[in-house]
Amino acid sequence: MRIKRVVPEAETTGTAIQVDLSLMDPLIEKLKNKPGKLIPLLQGTQDLFGFIPQDAFLKLHRETGLELNEMYGVATFYAQFRLTPAGKHIVKMCHGTACHVQQVSAITDELLDHLAIKDGETTADGLFTVETVACLGCCSLAPVMMIGSETYGKLTPREAIKIIKEIRRAENSQP
């Protein structure tokens, strides 16, 4: 299931999110003359920044000759790519058949309401990004959500919110 891409407020006002683009130099140098470089360059850029900043597309265009429309087309086609910063914790809500039958939509709705965001958005404090995904491959645990590499199964709306509250509490107690 594709999520709606959201544009951060900074981009809508014409102010790009600032990142150190020089971090891309070793990646570009390694891949700029290789065939099939587009996706590895986008993946590497996202690995560096957690998303692909607007200015990174421009740098890739200038230094590799890749066309902006081609890069943007690939980055918006594949769900693995982000055009906006994600939260510290990415919450993936499985909406596969087994989870759907087990009412994951109600759990997702409750969680989004609790966090005051929409699918694909990040909380104001930058802690959580919630995404619906087609399948997490844990059908026997349906309904399932994954936060980072941790899988939570047999969920109810109350349990999902409790998990989020526990993570938030732990984050707020760190120095």
Side-chain angles (χ1 to χ4, degrees):
M1 174 180 290
R2 288 286 292 169
I3 62 169
K4 181 182 174 220
R5 299 281 184 179
V6 292
V7 178
E9 189 172 312
E11 287 185 23
T12 61
T13 60
T15 307
I17 296 168
Q18 297 300 310
V19 295
D20 181 2
L21 294 176
S22 68
L23 296 173
M24 297 171 61
D25 291 343
L27 174 71
I28 292 170
E29 191 58 37
K30 177 181 173 186
L31 297 172
K32 73 178 177 182
N33 296 319
K34 304 253 186 209
K37 64 188 166 218
L38 173 57
I39 290 178
L41 281 168
L42 294 176
Q43 289 169 326
T45 300
Q46 182 164 287
D47 287 345
L48 288 170
F49 305 117
F51 70 109
I52 305 172
Q54 181 180 357
D55 289 342
F57 284 107
L58 298 172
K59 181 176 177 81
L60 289 171
H61 170 67
R62 279 191 313 271
E63 297 188 21
T64 68
L66 289 168
E67 295 298 326
L68 288 170
N69 63 343
E70 183 182 8
M71 288 186 287
Y72 189 75
V74 169
T76 57
F77 178 79
Y78 291 107
Q80 69 174 296
F81 295 117
R82 299 180 177 289
L83 302 181
T84 59
K88 183 173 182 180
H89 302 280
I90 298 175
V91 181
K92 295 181 181 181
M93 299 299 299
C94 181
H95 279 248
T97 303
C99 290
H100 177 74
V101 170
Q102 295 294 325
Q103 306 300 314
V104 75
S105 293
I107 297 167
T108 303
D109 290 345
E110 290 276 340
L111 192 59
L112 292 171
D113 286 347
H114 172 75
L115 293 171
I117 60 173
K118 295 178 183 164
D119 186 18
E121 292 183 344
T122 300
T123 55
D125 61 7
L127 277 181
F128 299 100
T129 298
V130 177
E131 301 176 338
T132 57
V133 296
C135 185
L136 289 173
C138 307
C139 299
S140 64
L141 299 175
V144 176
M145 76 176 175
M146 182 177 261
I147 303 175
S149 61
E150 190 73 30
T151 303
Y152 302 90
K154 305 286 185 188
L155 289 174
T156 65
R158 176 178 281 159
E159 290 166 347
I161 291 170
K162 180 181 176 190
I163 292 163
I164 294 298
K165 284 180 176 179
E166 288 172 1
I167 293 170
R168 180 168 271 144
R169 192 173 307 118
E171 287 287 342
N172 290 335
S173 69
Q174 292 179 1

